[in-house]
Amino acid sequence: MADRLYIFDTTLRDGEQSPGAAMTREEKIRIARQLERLGVDIIEAGFAAASPGDFESIRAIAEVIKDSTVCSLARANENDIRRAGEAIRPAASGRIHTFIATSPIHMEKKLRMSPDQVIEAAVRAVRLAREYTDDVEFSAEDALRSEPEFLCRVFDAVIQAGARTINVPDTVGYAIPELCGQFFRRLIEGTPNSDQVIWSAHCHNDLGMAVANSLAAVMAGARQVECTINGLGERAGNAALEEIVMAVKTRRDVFDLSLRIDTTQIVAASKLVSTVTSYPVQPNKAVVGANAFAHESGIHQDGVLKHRETYEIMRAEDVGWKANKLTLGKLSGRNAFRTRLKELGIELESEEALNLAFARFKELADKKSEIFDEDLHALVSAETSGTEREHYKFVSLSTRTETGELPYAEIVFADHGVERRSHSTGSGPVDATFKAIEAVVKSESELQLYSVNAITSGTDSQGDVTVRLARDGRIVNGQGADTDIIAASAKAYLSALSKLNSDEERAHPQV
Ligand code: KIV
Ligand code: ZN
């Protein structure tokens, strides 16, 4: 029988460390449910000690997820481990993932600890974590720039202390596939009792080799890969789950490993994460990009029609592309709406929230005849983020553009419950709208990103707008969806301003 490869998804933790990708508790639960449907073995639900909100999100996920292990990250200190242990307590299967840096540069410049002190802290952390769960993972941060002999000493000590999974992160995306494979072999051979633990790869994509490095580690004996949906993550991101899974499945001749993943759930997971985090998926992205299975050139189309495998190594339906079915329409009732939300893993907190979402659905169905799952996710995200922290709320907008004339916008929005009206001209209608909002709010923030994407295909699609604002070192993404892209832009801008006002302080685990 083929060996098992465990998939550890860290979209909700490392993925959330991407600028502005912070998610609400409801959004995290929704993603966790989709990861469970996808068949992910371990869901890293967050970093419990980061903030009370992060703690509560992990706990809520631990309460609802039954088929995947729920994990919290913890630095190698007592407070972090205890917070992680408490957060995962309700889980059917819970893991604590503790880590400390082991590279000379991190130990000396960041931790200001000697190598022996690092080993001591690691052992103490693993022992304490074992008081909460038998399932303890230890990571040596910046392992790929650490001395292999030192790593073997650290791993020997933490295995004796009770770690069951040993993770070897390429924290800064420095590795090269061939050398990464050699590095893993050396560690596995040089660590006593290495056959008693699962070896794990965690690769960042700074040089675009996260997936290749992870797969090289697998070839060398790693049996867990840490990855994220769409490769989301800090800087250039983490290894993309969909690419790892499809490489291992498609090249079974090379890997001969079994996976628990239901690949038909991949596209739904990709779209959900993209909608919730406002990180669009590039069209030419492997597996989940809109063009991944589109055969543009006539020669390719001809080949595929004659025999699919001439140009296709995977089937679109196997990763869930054809499952994007028409969901609801104008005549769908409240019950059908509630049932489809349930199937998508969305449970609104109250009847009132359901009524509000249903009213918005009806408004949308009046403008757009076909409503898809992506529309529902966008609608619910707007509804729940709005109710949680609605400092600024869109009311109405009127714009005027004419060739040769200066574009003009007049907007009405609620500012902490008080209705405001403002107008401005600008270089385009979006610019005029943002200037009109700023004339009232005076946020002193910097606009870092403005992007518009169509949620579904067709000219009646909703525009999905992302606005990234930065102020005093804090970065937030606001999102707005509407069939009118200027209105979507105004909603996104107001949503970003609301987040800027209310996001709680959270600690970053790796500074
Ligand atoms: O990249 C990294 O080193 C990490 C660790 C916390 C596992 O994310
Ligand atoms: Zn990482």
Side-chain angles (χ1 to χ4, degrees):
M1 213 187 92
D3 251 355
R4 174 82 177 274
L5 178 65
Y6 292 90
I7 298 295
F8 176 116
D9 180 278
T10 182
T11 306
L12 298 175
R13 198 279 296 170
D14 222 330
E16 206 200 18
Q17 289 174 207
S18 311
M23 301 167 223
T24 66
R25 185 171 63 143
E26 185 280 328
E27 288 167 339
K28 287 185 181 176
I29 295 173
R30 212 163 359 130
I31 290 177
R33 286 204 163 109
Q34 179 58 29
L35 293 173
E36 186 181 36
R37 265 195 292 273
L38 178 62
V40 157
D41 296 290
I42 303 107
I43 298 172
E44 187 161 57
F47 167 41
S51 72
D54 285 64
F55 177 90
E56 288 307 331
S57 297
I58 299 169
R59 217 181 153 89
I61 290 169
E63 274 160 9
V64 299
I65 296 299
K66 299 292 167 235
D67 297 336
S68 308
T69 295
V70 177
C71 171
S72 171
L73 184 70
R75 288 167 299 198
N77 67 55
E78 182 175 346
N79 175 62
D80 276 28
I81 307 264
R82 293 204 186 282
R83 293 294 281 165
E86 288 305 324
I88 60 156
R89 205 184 276 287
S93 163
R95 172 179 295 190
I96 297 177
H97 172 195
T98 186
F99 75 99
I100 192 162
T102 50
S103 62
I105 185 169
H106 275 226
M107 290 192 291
E108 192 190 322
K109 305 284 183 218
K110 180 177 98 164
L111 299 175
R112 296 177 204 282
M113 285 167 82
S114 71
D116 284 342
Q117 286 172 321
V118 164
I119 296 185
E120 243 172 71
V123 166
R124 235 182 296 125
V126 170
R127 281 210 188 109
L128 183 59
R130 282 295 301 257
E131 291 179 17
Y132 290 87
T133 171
D134 289 345
D135 190 352
V136 174
E137 170 172 335
F138 174 78
S139 283
E141 190 190 10
D142 204 16
L144 266 289
R145 290 194 301 169
S146 305
E147 296 294 333
E149 289 71 25
F150 177 60
L151 278 180
C152 291
R153 269 181 65 208
V154 178
F155 293 153
D156 179 20
V158 294
I159 292 170
Q160 288 189 50
R164 279 193 180 172
T165 303
I166 298 294
N167 186 37
V168 183
D170 182 16
T171 304
V172 292
Y174 184 68
I176 304 283
E178 197 179 340
L179 302 181
C180 185
Q182 284 171 14
F183 199 73
F184 267 78
R185 272 193 199 93
R186 190 156 166 197
L187 296 178
I188 294 172
E189 277 162 19
T191 302
N193 297 312
S194 64
D195 58 337
Q196 304 297 304
V197 293
I198 303 267
W199 290 83
S200 167
H202 174 117
C203 299
H204 281 268
N205 206 29
D206 299 66
L207 293 173
M209 290 185 279
V211 169
N213 285 325
S214 305
L215 293 173
V218 170
M219 304 277 280
R223 287 295 173 266
Q224 174 179 285
V225 174
E226 302 198 351
C227 43
T228 57
I229 302 289
N230 301 335
L232 191 69
E234 286 210 80
R235 308 183 308 277
N238 289 63
L241 178 147
E242 60 279 5
E243 295 178 23
I244 302 274
V245 165
M246 290 319 290
V248 170
K249 284 234 166 201
T250 308
R251 297 308 309 269
R252 228 198 130 120
D253 57 324
V254 177
F255 293 101
D256 194 24
L257 291 168
S258 72
L259 292 161
R260 201 174 68 99
I261 298 291
D262 173 0
T263 58
T264 63
Q265 294 293 331
I266 285 179
V267 167
S270 162
K271 292 191 174 194
L272 175 59
V273 169
S274 169
T275 304
V276 164
T277 58
S278 315
Y279 269 75
V281 175
Q282 77 201 49
N284 56 330
K285 164 86 181 60
V287 185
V288 293
N291 295 351
F293 293 89
H295 294 277
E296 269 295 328
S297 102
I299 294 172
H300 285 199
Q301 281 178 6
D302 183 52
V304 169
L305 287 177
K306 283 185 183 135
H307 188 81
R308 192 183 58 80
E309 283 166 20
T310 47
Y311 285 99
E312 267 189 19
I313 56 165
M314 301 172 271
R315 293 188 314 171
E317 53 271 38
D318 289 349
V319 296
W321 271 110
K322 299 280 153 63
N324 173 30
K325 54 185 181 298
L326 172 67
T327 302
L328 298 168
K330 201 177 160 104
L331 300 177
S332 306
R334 196 169 169 281
N335 236 346
F337 178 69
R338 184 210 295 263
T339 306
R340 187 60 196 151
L341 290 189
K342 210 160 178 209
E343 284 164 5
L344 292 173
I346 303 169
E347 273 173 39
L348 295 173
E349 272 170 20
S350 59
E351 279 302 297
E352 196 199 341
L354 180 71
N355 289 341
L356 278 172
F358 184 62
R360 284 178 54 110
F361 159 72
K362 280 289 181 188
E363 269 172 37
L364 180 62
D366 273 340
K367 297 188 214 156
K368 187 174 186 290
S369 53
E370 301 173 324
I371 308 280
F372 295 87
D373 291 346
E374 295 95 299
D375 290 312
L376 295 181
H377 280 301
L379 186 147
V380 171
S381 278
E383 205 51 54
T384 50
S385 63
T387 47
E388 270 175 32
R389 42 191 182 198
E390 74 187 329
H391 297 286
Y392 303 105
K393 200 163 166 57
F394 176 85
V395 177
S396 66
L397 176 72
S398 140
T399 54
R400 213 172 45 229
T401 57
E402 197 181 324
T403 311
E405 296 293 322
L406 208 53
Y408 171 85
E410 184 170 341
I411 184 161
V412 181
F413 64 98
D415 171 355
H416 297 80
V418 179
E419 204 158 284
R420 308 273 193 176
R421 181 179 295 269
S422 177
H423 59 87
S424 178
T425 52
S427 60
V430 173
D431 187 48
T433 303
F434 289 3
K435 282 188 170 135
I437 296 171
E438 277 299 335
V440 174
V441 176
K442 299 184 174 41
S443 72
E444 293 180 4
S445 59
E446 179 203 342
L447 177 69
Q448 288 199 334
L449 177 108
Y450 169 73
S451 88
V452 188
N453 284 280
I455 290 184
T456 53
S457 55
T459 49
D460 71 346
S461 166
Q462 293 194 83
D464 183 19
V465 176
T466 303
V467 165
R468 183 174 301 157
L469 295 180
R471 187 176 65 198
D472 301 333
R474 179 187 284 171
I475 299 173
V476 295
N477 280 349
Q479 199 177 14
D482 200 292
T483 47
D484 172 346
I485 58 167
I486 316 295
S489 305
K491 288 178 184 176
Y493 199 86
L494 292 168
S495 137
L497 286 175
S498 293
K499 285 187 184 177
L500 214 45
N501 266 15
S502 65
D503 263 6
E504 63 180 348
E505 287 300 332
R506 22 200 331 244
H508 188 294
Q510 290 169 268
V511 289

